[in-house]
Amino acid sequence: MRVLTRVGLASIGLLHILIGVIALAVAFGAGGNADQSGALQAIAAAPGGVFVLWLIVVGLIVLAIWQILVAITARSAGTTALEIIKSVVYAGLAALTISIATGGGHNSSSTEKSLSAKLLGLPGGVFVLALVGIVIAVVGIGFLRNGITHRFERDLKLPPDRWAGTITVLGRVGYIAKGVALLLVGGLVIAGAITFDPSKAAGLDGSLKALASVPFGVFLLVAIALGLLAYGLFWCVRAVRARL
């Protein structure tokens, strides 16, 4: 369980590293989908990539089970709820990976635009879409708080060695960058609800590309991309060094 959980942690890191690389490519005028589906499709296109995808699937499933075990042994209701949410997120990511590993096409931006359009077509759907945007923004604020106040270090359980400082620095930069990215996504989803325009609610990929099109947005996009690279490296090193 511990070995496969570490594979799952490393998988999360690999995906964020690839998203960061794709975001850098977008900043410098290249194409690509800077989100989970784009990162997974990049892996699938590489030699032996399908094998890596199935290894990621196993790791994510075990990681989801691990979070359930952590939730069962948690001492507070808040921690239990948070761990269950994490488990659901990892299980959903595993399902997305299975879809791409089996040859199914998936474009997160198109899917999110389609879902947003359907919501806006329903009675009261605009309020639901706005609520989704608020939730994403709140999660982003949580990431920012964890990065700025170093709260994430409480759960790291790092051995006292030379890697501890490197891991925490990568984590601080990564949490702040991901928080900014999620705030951007949540803000655009809320804007899509207010303006009744589902094209604005395009997820992480659409949000980063929208950022590249505004004055000086490229500089912020590069900063976010580098932060996502740091966040991915944080997960990869944590997968090896952290105690489980």
Side-chain angles (χ1 to χ4, degrees):
M1 282 290 290
R2 285 192 175 92
V3 170
L4 291 176
T5 298
R6 292 186 190 278
V7 172
L9 293 173
S11 300
I12 300 295
L14 175 61
L15 291 180
H16 280 88
I17 288 172
L18 289 174
I19 292 172
V21 170
I22 296 170
L24 278 176
V26 170
F28 291 106
N33 295 323
D35 54 18
Q36 288 90 343
S37 64
L40 290 169
Q41 287 164 357
I43 295 173
V50 174
F51 170 77
V52 176
L53 286 180
W54 283 111
L55 184 61
I56 290 174
V57 168
V58 174
L60 288 173
I61 290 174
V62 175
L63 186 56
I65 296 172
W66 182 274
Q67 297 300 149
I68 292 175
L69 295 177
V70 174
I72 292 173
T73 57
R75 297 182 178 181
S76 67
T79 302
T80 298
L82 180 61
E83 297 304 327
I84 291 174
I85 291 171
K86 289 181 182 179
S87 178
V88 172
V89 171
Y90 295 146
L93 191 53
L96 173 61
T97 307
I98 291 172
S99 173
I100 293 176
T102 54
H106 186 88
N107 187 311
S108 294
S109 292
S110 298
T111 302
E112 285 151 0
K113 288 179 183 177
S114 176
L115 290 174
S116 298
K118 290 179 181 178
L119 272 177
L120 290 175
L122 296 174
V126 62
F127 300 105
V128 175
L129 186 60
L131 179 61
V132 170
I134 292 171
V135 169
I136 295 172
V138 169
V139 173
I141 292 172
F143 270 86
L144 277 174
R145 185 188 66 170
N146 283 341
I148 294 171
T149 64
H150 313 164
R151 286 177 61 91
F152 70 94
E153 296 177 23
R154 300 178 185 177
D155 301 323
L156 278 181
K157 299 180 181 179
L158 295 173
D161 59 14
R162 59 190 178 89
W163 286 101
T166 301
I167 296 175
T168 52
V169 170
L170 289 172
R172 291 169 193 171
V173 174
Y175 268 88
I176 291 172
K178 182 149 188 181
V180 173
L182 289 174
L183 276 174
L184 180 63
V185 174
L188 287 177
V189 172
I190 294 170
I194 293 173
T195 61
F196 217 74
D197 183 3
S199 65
K200 292 183 178 179
L204 181 60
D205 176 61
S207 299
L208 294 178
K209 288 177 179 175
L211 189 63
S213 64
V214 302
F216 305 106
V218 170
F219 298 103
L220 181 56
L221 176 55
V222 170
I224 292 174
L226 293 175
L228 290 174
L229 285 172
Y231 189 68
L233 289 172
F234 161 74
W235 277 84
C236 288
V237 179
R238 179 186 178 189
V240 177
R241 300 301 304 164
R243 290 193 296 265
L244 296 176

